[in-house]
Amino acid sequence: MIKRLFDWLKQPLGLIAVGIAVLALFSAGVYGIYTTQQPPEQPIQFPHQTHVAFGIQCLYCHPGAARGPAAGIPTQAKCWGCHNQIQKTMTSELLKPLKEAVISGTPIEWVPVAQVPDFVQFNHRAHIAAGQNCENCHGDMSRVTIAQNPQVFNMGWCLTCHTKIAGEDQAKLIKLSDCGTCHY
Amino acid sequence: MSDKFSRRDFLKLAGVGAATTAILTGCGPASRYVKREPYMLMPEYNYNGQSTYYATTCRECAAGCGLVVRTSQGRAIKTEGNANNPLNLGKTCARGQATLHGLYNPDRVTDPIKRTRGAAAGTTVAWDDAIQTVADALKNNKPEEIAFLMGTTSDHLFDLLTDLSAQAGINAPVRFGALSMFEARATLSKAAENLFGEAGMPFFDVGGAQVVISFGANFLETWLSPVPYTRGFAGLREGQTKKRGTFIQFEARMSSTAAKADEWLPIRPGTEALVALAIGRLASELRGGPLPRVFAEVDTAAAADAAGVKLTALEHIAEIFAASAGVLAIPGGSALGQSNGLAVAEAVLALNAVADNFGKAGGVFFSGLAPSQTEYQRPASAMEMQDFIQNMTDGKYKVLFVHGVNPVFELPASSGFKAALKGVEQVISFASFPDETALEADFVFPDHHALESWGYQRVVTGSAQPVLSGSQPVVSPFYNTRATVDVLIAAAQLAGGKFAEAMPFKDEVEFLRSKVAPLMSEADGFFSAADLNTFMAYFQQYGGWWKTTDGRTAPNAADVFNRELDASEAEFAGEGEFFFVPFVSPTLAEAGANKPWLQELPDPTTTVMWNTWVEINPETAHELGLEDDDVVKIISEAGELEVPVYRYPAIRPDTIAMPFGQGHTAYGQYAAGRGSNPADLLGQHFNEAGDLAFAGMKVKIEKTGKKQPLSRMESIMGVYGVGLGEEH
């Protein structure tokens, strides 16, 4: 049966069929990968670059990064602390979702994009304490609107940086490349 | 399809394509995107991304274990034991862990509802109308026509109702729970009263003993307070300062407690009293001295014969008994749930007199009264519930309030509770879940979940120190529910008169403070404070208040040896050939069936999940032509039900057993229509202390020819020759 299939495929018509099938599979694969790389829809088209341009520090809105595992998403009370003094907030179409959420008292449902799988125990605090800057991993936020992931947060990427930082220090290398450092 | 490229090949290629796409998309970041709701307003004590921990009390059973719940951004994430609480010292059982599945349960009653009895749905009403309804019920009926039926948790509500009953003349609240029925609590305290002249909850110091002999007490599963008893068992086995302790269990089936025993003796049900007295007599003879009168009458050879064990086996245990210091005998569970249960309890307690362990380490004590408690209060026995049901049938109660208990499911069907509800004009349930009793109510005014509630629970037994475990909300209520205490306070003030006088509180917290305040002047507290605000802050921080001293008392054992006991065998109701032993599922118990974690947790002995089974000895099954998963009909004098067979080698051939916990007809999507309820087979027979003789039935088995595969963790490959081919 399989032999007959191969015989048929060797004919000109068969070769064309194979070509079409390969192209179809390739395009499906490309499309599949493309869909996974799209940033999710956010409730507010939050412009990071504007906020960075005003000189607001990352840790002002994401203070958890210095204190614990998660950087956290700011409360709308924190947004409102500045925005209620900004005239544009009341008129801007883009800021309408924020205004409505604050007035109606409903939480804003953000979708964080910098995610690692559940079996990775990532802790921001250790990285900040080691002198890493936010942009080392999250990219230059003065150039993006809605947060996007500039990196693929996979293990190879983590380890590349860990080994580079350890350098010749063997004790440090062992600590930074131990499985239990991130998987426990 | 062409004849050269078959349908099968096409499917193969399509399958490969689909799998490739699935892998490619599944590994991308999109698969991990979830919505996050940050706080709208961050509380002062919290930081972004930082967990907050609250101490509270578990309400999955009445033991009163302390919990510490981890919360993040206002959601409860994980429950663990409160290490400060002397009862559970930082541990919980599986039910305590699964309390989150109650909090996040999709079937919770979200709003107050008015409903037609028996109908599936109801109409939502406003809380103001709900409170008016309760106020009218209080005001428009005579005080003696108002009845409260409560579960065994929420002691603060019980105190409120007791105050209300004392000052406004309504009936005192009645408490009931299936667990206390299967634990035979009334029998234990009655036996203690008969032997020691004082009613109370005995405390068995398993951890300090050298030999533990248990008659049916399943203290590693659900009995009384499983977490401290499990810790005690670890103490018995650890042998840090002494040699490894010995544990002997008498029980017709091997429960998961019996499975931990060094020796398990499956004696014939109903002969426990005889066996206890025989061991007492043999041990007394070995120890020398005059034979105590309590053991003098028993014929040891006849007792061994009746129990279906060899006399040498009893002599062997008597030798262990006589040779060891620190022997402890515990009566409990199915041994007490028989017509002669009281005699069993007394006979087994009397064994402790031979060991002379009363009030000593590794012996029998009376549990100390909890703080703010003046006398031992036990839940109603099944016989007392019969009086309550009779009053309902006779129309003596015009309005019935139900909180924290599901009597339509928890009481045997033969008790007639469901039919008796027709005699009550108005039934108001405070259930958090749409359980069987809530479906038969006219109104459901849902209480908060335990993790959203204030309150306290008195620890009845399990801890040497007297403990009052405190509850506080660890999260804001998710739904439009309201604390029952708040509803009653508001309704009482609306009703006016004596009711308003009895309830001069602003809300539940003020009531709670009034109850906790007297503890400030008590001595030996784990903490104290000069003012109530500070005291309450500590009370919340530590999850309760307890004494640093041992509150247990030694029973007066002066007359134990001189008591005469009727050691005749138990009587069994029904025509069948099999003894029927219902046991409480260690994981589900009476209210765990709506929690998927608990449903998914394999039963410790059979590994069955999500279903009910009947345990039958393989030999008996062979004689009856039954195999695993064959559905049989079990018929008792009270009813019949169908259930799949589990061939269980560790049960007497003349006994069958079924777990209690499934068989709900309501109670949400995970519980309803799953398994069967062995309580449907139980008739109304009681022992002398008024507890239900739940293990006193004989039943018949009929084949149905149907099969229902049980899902189980264990592999049955090779067991009974399964899967090994014809030759085996």
Side-chain angles (χ1 to χ4, degrees), chain A residues 1 5 29 32 36-38 40 61 63-64 67 72-77 105-113 115-117, chain B residues 3-6 9 17 20-21 24-26 28-30 32-42 47-50 73:
Chain A
M1 161 57 223
L5 177 69
T36 65
Q37 304 306 315
Q38 293 313 296
C61 296
R67 288 202 183 94
I73 302 169
T75 63
Q76 61 204 44
T106 45
I108 303 169
E109 293 185 340
W110 297 100
V111 187
V113 292
Q115 296 275 300
V116 287
Chain B
D3 56 343
K4 287 174 184 165
F5 189 74
S6 73
D9 290 325
T20 314
T21 316
L24 287 172
T25 49
R32 295 197 288 270
Y33 289 146
V34 284
K35 283 183 182 165
R36 296 270 161 83
E37 283 180 20
Y39 273 119
M40 289 180 281
L41 186 66
M42 182 79 72
Y47 293 123
N48 231 336
Q50 198 171 57
Q73 299 264 316

Side-chain angles (χ1 to χ4, degrees), chain B residues 192-236:
Chain B
E193 191 178 349
N194 287 351
L195 285 183
F196 313 130
E198 187 188 348
M201 174 57 78
F203 178 101
F204 301 98
D205 185 12
V206 175
Q210 193 58 59
V211 178
V212 172
I213 304 177
S214 152
F215 288 77
N218 44 356
F219 58 84
L220 298 180
E221 297 159 58
T222 57
W223 194 66
L224 298 184
S225 194
V227 176
Y229 269 101
T230 306
R231 185 175 68 240
F233 180 73
L236 174 79

Side-chain angles (χ1 to χ4, degrees), chain B residues 328-348:
Chain B
L328 174 64
I330 310 178
S334 56
L336 309 188
Q338 308 185 83
S339 68
N340 69 344
L342 186 59
V344 175
E346 290 185 27
V348 178

Side-chain angles (χ1 to χ4, degrees), chain A residues 75-177:
Chain A
T75 63
Q76 61 204 44
K78 185 164 261 178
C79 305
W80 205 241
C82 299
H83 271 278
N84 73 346
Q85 302 170 45
I86 298 168
Q87 190 61 41
K88 204 179 164 190
T89 311
M90 303 303 163
T91 52
S92 163
E93 196 58 29
L94 286 170
L95 281 164
K96 212 173 148 193
L98 173 68
K99 196 178 84 181
E100 281 172 357
V102 171
I103 289 168
S104 66
T106 45
I108 303 169
E109 293 185 340
W110 297 100
V111 187
V113 292
Q115 296 275 300
V116 287
D118 288 346
F119 48 82
V120 182
Q121 304 279 340
F122 179 79
N123 194 328
H124 274 95
R125 181 179 159 165
H127 293 81
I128 300 291
Q132 294 295 319
N133 280 330
C134 306
E135 62 263 32
N136 294 2
C137 300
H138 293 285
D140 186 355
M141 279 295 161
S142 65
R143 292 169 185 275
V144 288
T145 51
I146 303 165
Q148 287 172 9
N149 234 348
Q151 331 273 4
V152 178
F153 289 149
N154 61 24
M155 201 168 106
W157 177 78
C158 294
L159 279 175
T160 309
C161 193
H162 276 196
T163 35
K164 200 172 86 192
I165 283 168
E168 298 300 309
D169 187 345
Q170 280 302 308
K172 203 169 185 180
L173 180 65
I174 289 168
K175 268 188 206 165
L176 286 178
S177 59

Side-chain angles (χ1 to χ4, degrees), chain B residues 284-366:
Chain B
S284 301
E285 283 170 359
L286 285 172
R287 288 199 166 191
L291 191 62
R293 191 167 140 208
V294 65
F295 304 125
E297 298 290 317
V298 70
D299 178 346
T300 50
D305 196 38
V309 290
K310 289 188 179 130
L311 183 58
T312 49
L314 297 188
E315 284 170 349
H316 163 65
I317 288 167
E319 277 167 25
I320 297 177
F321 197 124
S324 319
V327 181
L328 174 64
I330 310 178
S334 56
L336 309 188
Q338 308 185 83
S339 68
N340 69 344
L342 186 59
V344 175
E346 290 185 27
V348 178
L349 284 176
L351 274 184
N352 291 295
V354 181
D356 189 24
N357 65 14
F358 293 110
K360 296 176 185 165
V364 179
F365 297 81
F366 271 122

